[in-house]
Amino acid sequence: MKTILFFLTSFACFAQIPTQEEEEKQSSFDYYITNPLNINLVSETELQSSLLFSAEQIALFIAFRKQIGTFQSILELQSIPNWDLDFLRRIQDFLVCHPPNPRWWKPHSSTHQILFKTDWTAETKKGFTDPDLRSKTRYVGDRTNQTLRYRGQLNANLRMGFLLQKDAGEKDLSDFSSGFIEFKSKGILEKIILGDFINQWGQGLVQSGGFSLGKSFESIKATQKFNLGGLAYSSSMEYGYYRGINTTLKLSEFLRIQTFASYRNLDATTGTDSTGSNYLRTRVEDGFHRTASEISHKEALQEKTAGANLVYSPLSVPLVIQLNGVFSEWSLAKPIGIGYKQPEWSGNKLQNYSISFQYPFRNIRMVGEFATSGNRQYSLIQSAATSLSKKVDVSYLFRNYGAGYFSPKSNGLSENSENLNEIGLFLGLGYQINKRMKLSSYADYFLFPGPKYQVVASNTYGWEFLSRLQWEKRHSARGFIQGKWTRKEEKDLIQISLDGHYIAIKSWDFHVRAMASKLGSEIGYLLLQDMKWDHGKWNVQGRFAYMNTPSYDTRNYAYEPGVPYSFLLPAYAGKAIKTTVVMAYQWNREIAIAAKYARIQYQDRTEVGSGLDAIEGNTKTDITLQISYKMH
């Protein structure tokens, strides 16, 4: 299962207006809506990685399933302690009950969903105007973003999906395409994926696909990753995945092996050296093919990758050991870096190996991974989390990433965007003050042994401290106050957030937030008010936001309501007012329609955007339309 993060709210298709907690969990929430967990097949690791359940609930579920053998109905979950009706109502859309060994596809029991979404900016961007004497470069396509997605579940073990997508300025809907077929069973061939996929191995130093929590007030969960193996991929992100075949074999109760092979064409910029040989300048990961220059980068680099993941879990002890290896080869070589990039990997062939483990000792869960890359650079990550009492949870994570360590799919917890040139210690604390109030905090200290981007000195350091006090009143209100202090390169960034969510009556929700950021003498702030009306087939959300920041350095981030299955976490910067309205209508059991209108009006500029995205004037209006059809 894909690692996702999702706040448990009682909805079927439309999310509550989220607080910051939900923002960090919202990015992939639709995964379980379209791919619910089969309670007869789901593993303990998959339940843990979903973060939908507490450790106690998972343990009770696994014990109950072992006792009864096979579930016949979702309603049987009521018999599990701590799985009461209120909890089941909140998670019912993410669970299904299918027999563990179903027959082949039966049309009346399969589900299919087709979704089409288009959005555009009402104002005309420079890239869509006629060429002039100053610049003749323009976008080759129309102004719409378009997405067509299909997902089908033929039975409990077989599913498939595909996606077609174009960005504004691109010519065809098929500019980007992705798809997969996935089969799972309880036999020797435990899983096979044909098409596009990602891998989640160990603690993410060699393979870390999908969404990752990173540093968060969820400090206990932030230090833990799970070895989930191969995961089918059908996201609109145009990089970070493989294309080929991925298989998982269950050799015995204590031994599994996953292997994969992939071949992909990647976007890249290239150069030519003094001998006339081509070499790789940079990988291009934005996926844009709107101008002649961007189109020239398309599929300029070929990538071949193969790898294996061996999982050993002896029956006598709760230890899990993983041996991981990946071999990659590219059609163009990366030259030796200069300056602070000199220690980094170069060439066109790369080998990555690691050993990782999971070991729960009493109420302490310890995990770790030691990895090496082909240029003899090493990285290490080790963490543990435990409960000191019913009210107090603590965690730590130590990391040491070599200056030249490189793995294309690594994503371990770090301050840098890449897992290199960093030593750090993360400490987390969770304190349940009472049933309705909780204090969550973390402190992270990091050191950069070598020079880095825009920093020529060695052994620079910094720290980050966050603390959040959150409270709730059952079914009627919740809120938090949060402070965050980040010091890096002798600069202090202080951020404060106040958030409140109030459910006035059954159909109305109100949400308010105030945020402030201070960097040096600059202070930027954001005020926003959300309202939501949910009644029968209609769901309407609205937002009014006022922002005032001296520069982009004091920007604030807040999740913005969107059409179902979408996620947007924009930066609020500048002096402006932004209004957003989202309407969704469930036409019938199969068809749902949604629309969004978002308009921002700046008070500190006469041009919005830059380059070919520049808009004359001080307003920008984005419109989204979406229709989905679900066949049961």
Side-chain angles (χ1 to χ4, degrees):
M1 291 292 172
K2 192 180 192 177
T3 300
I4 69 159
L5 305 166
F6 182 70
F7 185 80
L8 296 177
T9 52
S10 54
F11 60 86
C13 291
F14 308 119
Q16 298 280 355
I17 297 172
T19 62
Q20 183 175 342
E21 176 179 5
E22 294 163 59
E23 293 163 12
E24 294 172 343
K25 302 175 178 183
Q26 186 76 20
S27 67
S28 302
F29 92 90
D30 65 301
Y31 184 81
Y32 285 147
I33 292 289
T34 55
N35 302 286
L37 299 166
N38 183 0
I39 59 176
N40 279 315
L41 293 176
V42 64
S43 68
E44 182 177 1
T45 299
E46 289 170 338
L47 290 171
Q48 290 170 335
S49 68
S50 73
L51 302 182
L52 293 168
F53 312 92
S54 68
E56 183 182 12
Q57 288 170 331
I58 294 172
L60 292 169
F61 170 86
I62 297 297
F64 186 82
R65 188 173 65 179
K66 286 181 179 179
Q67 181 180 352
I68 67 169
T70 302
F71 289 101
Q72 301 300 318
S73 169
I74 287 285
L75 298 177
E76 294 179 67
L77 296 175
Q78 300 175 62
S79 303
I80 305 175
N82 289 344
W83 287 59
D84 54 43
L85 280 174
D86 184 57
F87 175 70
L88 288 173
R89 288 192 190 100
R90 296 199 297 270
I91 64 169
Q92 62 182 340
D93 298 302
F94 313 108
L95 302 176
V96 293
C97 181
H98 293 311
N101 295 300
R103 295 180 179 179
W104 190 245
W105 175 43
K106 295 187 291 184
H108 67 274
S109 64
S110 62
T111 60
H112 307 268
Q113 184 189 50
I114 299 175
L115 180 147
F116 178 76
K117 180 177 72 172
T118 181
D119 62 87
W120 65 94
T121 298
E123 294 84 359
T124 301
K125 297 180 179 179
K126 183 178 179 180
F128 300 109
T129 62
D130 294 330
D132 54 37
L133 295 176
R134 290 185 177 181
S135 172
K136 295 183 178 181
T137 301
R138 293 295 185 266
Y139 295 146
V140 298
D142 62 45
R143 64 172 65 191
T144 62
N145 296 287
Q146 297 177 17
T147 302
L148 176 66
R149 173 183 282 132
Y150 163 79
R151 284 176 179 169
Q153 187 86 36
L154 302 187
N155 58 35
N157 291 353
L158 181 63
R159 68 188 186 99
M160 62 182 65
F162 71 81
L163 177 139
L164 300 175
Q165 190 261 347
K166 72 173 284 291
D167 298 304
E170 294 176 340
K171 276 188 176 181
D172 303 314
L173 178 59
S174 59
D175 182 84
F176 173 70
S177 60
S178 177
F180 71 89
I181 298 175
E182 179 187 62
F183 175 78
K184 295 196 299 184
S185 75
K186 284 195 170 183
I188 295 177
L189 181 59
E190 196 169 67
K191 182 191 294 186
I192 181 169
I193 303 171
L194 299 175
D196 297 342
F197 57 87
I198 54 178
N199 297 311
Q200 174 61 65
W201 294 353
Q203 297 305 296
L205 291 185
V206 170
Q207 294 282 287
S208 182
F211 180 76
S212 181
L213 180 61
K215 290 190 283 188
S216 164
F217 76 95
E218 295 266 18
S219 55
I220 307 304
K221 297 173 182 177
T223 60
Q224 308 282 300
K225 284 182 180 286
F226 299 89
N227 194 92
L228 300 176
L231 308 168
Y233 183 87
S234 64
S235 171
S236 59
M237 298 293 288
E238 301 186 26
Y239 64 93
Y241 65 93
Y242 294 113
R243 177 165 291 175
I245 183 171
N246 190 312
T247 62
T248 303
L249 301 177
K250 183 179 180 181
L251 304 180
S252 68
E253 290 299 321
F254 57 86
L255 190 62
R256 285 176 172 82
I257 184 169
Q258 177 203 340
T259 60
F260 76 91
S262 166
Y263 179 87
R264 277 198 64 201
N265 294 315
L266 306 177
D267 293 357
T269 61
T270 64
T272 304
D273 61 21
S274 58
T275 65
S277 300
N278 292 335
Y279 64 90
L280 173 66
R281 287 185 183 272
T282 58
R283 294 178 176 84
V284 179
E285 298 181 341
D286 57 26
F288 290 139
H289 309 119
R290 304 166 300 178
T291 65
S293 175
E294 291 176 349
I295 293 172
S296 69
H297 303 153
K298 188 174 182 179
E299 299 183 351
L301 179 69
Q302 287 69 53
E303 176 191 69
K304 299 176 184 178
T305 315
N309 165 242
L310 184 68
V311 181
Y312 173 70
S313 52
L315 302 179
S316 57
V317 293
L319 173 67
V320 179
I321 297 176
Q322 297 115 21
L323 300 177
N324 313 302
V326 177
F327 175 77
S328 304
E329 182 178 352
W330 294 274
S331 58
L332 297 174
K334 177 188 174 186
I336 297 174
I338 59 176
Y340 75 92
K341 289 191 174 184
Q342 187 173 1
E344 295 183 7
W345 167 82
S346 61
N348 72 324
K349 295 182 179 180
L350 176 66
Q351 298 178 28
N352 293 105
Y353 301 102
S354 77
I355 179 170
S356 54
F357 75 93
Q358 302 174 23
Y359 182 58
F361 176 71
R362 296 181 180 176
N363 68 332
I364 304 174
R365 186 177 187 274
M366 294 181 287
V367 299
E369 183 171 14
F370 177 78
T372 178
S373 57
N375 53 343
R376 297 183 180 179
Q377 292 286 326
Y378 304 94
S379 283
L380 167 70
I381 190 169
Q382 199 277 311
S383 68
T386 187
S387 297
L388 299 181
S389 68
K390 289 184 178 180
K391 290 189 174 184
V392 181
D393 297 321
V394 295
S395 67
Y396 77 86
L397 182 145
F398 173 77
R399 58 195 186 274
N400 188 342
Y401 304 145
Y405 179 78
F406 175 67
S407 178
K409 302 297 190 295
S410 68
N411 190 22
L413 186 145
S414 68
E415 179 65 22
N416 282 326
S417 58
E418 296 181 279
N419 295 152
L420 54 80
N421 186 33
E422 182 176 341
I423 301 172
L425 178 63
F426 178 96
L427 302 173
L429 170 68
Y431 177 54
Q432 192 75 41
I433 299 171
N434 54 47
K435 190 175 182 180
R436 303 296 180 195
M437 189 174 293
K438 184 178 181 180
L439 178 67
S440 302
S441 304
Y442 74 75
D444 185 43
Y445 176 85
F446 39 86
L447 170 70
F448 307 118
K452 57 193 293 284
Y453 179 64
Q454 293 185 336
V455 179
V456 297
S458 299
N459 294 317
T460 57
Y461 64 92
W463 66 78
E464 185 169 276
F465 174 78
L466 179 144
S467 189
R468 169 184 287 201
L469 178 66
Q470 54 191 11
W471 60 274
E472 65 172 338
K473 186 177 180 181
R474 188 174 179 85
H475 301 310
S476 62
R478 63 179 181 268
F480 67 80
I481 178 172
Q482 174 178 291
K484 183 179 179 182
W485 177 20
T486 304
R487 181 173 178 81
K488 186 164 57 174
E489 296 155 17
E490 299 184 352
K491 295 181 180 179
D492 293 281
L493 175 63
I494 298 174
Q495 299 167 298
I496 297 175
S497 302
L498 295 171
D499 190 281
H501 186 105
Y502 177 59
I503 303 173
I505 54 179
K506 186 175 181 180
S507 299
W508 287 91
D509 285 18
F510 296 90
H511 170 236
V512 63
R513 176 178 297 178
M515 303 178 70
S517 299
K518 183 180 185 301
L519 180 64
S521 60
E522 289 189 7
I523 299 178
Y525 57 86
L526 168 68
L527 302 174
L528 60 84
Q529 170 70 63
D530 293 328
M531 292 183 292
K532 177 187 174 186
W533 180 67
D534 193 351
H535 185 73
K537 293 184 176 182
W538 285 96
N539 180 286
V540 181
Q541 299 183 60
R543 165 170 292 182
F544 175 84
Y546 175 73
M547 69 202 79
N548 191 337
T549 69
S551 71
Y552 193 72
D553 291 335
T554 50
R555 63 193 178 275
N556 293 288
Y557 289 93
Y559 167 79
E560 185 170 289
V563 296
Y565 315 118
S566 67
F567 175 74
L568 181 63
L569 189 65
Y572 288 81
K575 187 176 183 180
I577 293 174
K578 186 171 186 178
T579 54
T580 304
V581 178
V582 181
M583 302 179 66
Y585 179 66
Q586 190 71 36
W587 185 286
N588 53 35
R589 189 167 180 260
E590 292 81 22
I591 300 174
I593 303 171
K596 176 181 175 179
Y597 173 91
R599 179 182 175 87
I600 185 168
Q601 182 171 358
Y602 289 94
Q603 302 171 16
D604 59 353
R605 65 196 68 180
T606 57
E607 184 178 78
V608 181
S610 60
L612 294 181
D613 285 329
I615 298 171
E616 290 187 7
N618 67 339
T619 64
K620 183 173 183 286
T621 307
D622 294 316
I623 299 171
T624 304
L625 299 176
Q626 176 176 290
I627 183 170
S628 63
Y629 176 80
K630 189 171 184 180
M631 183 173 67
H632 301 270

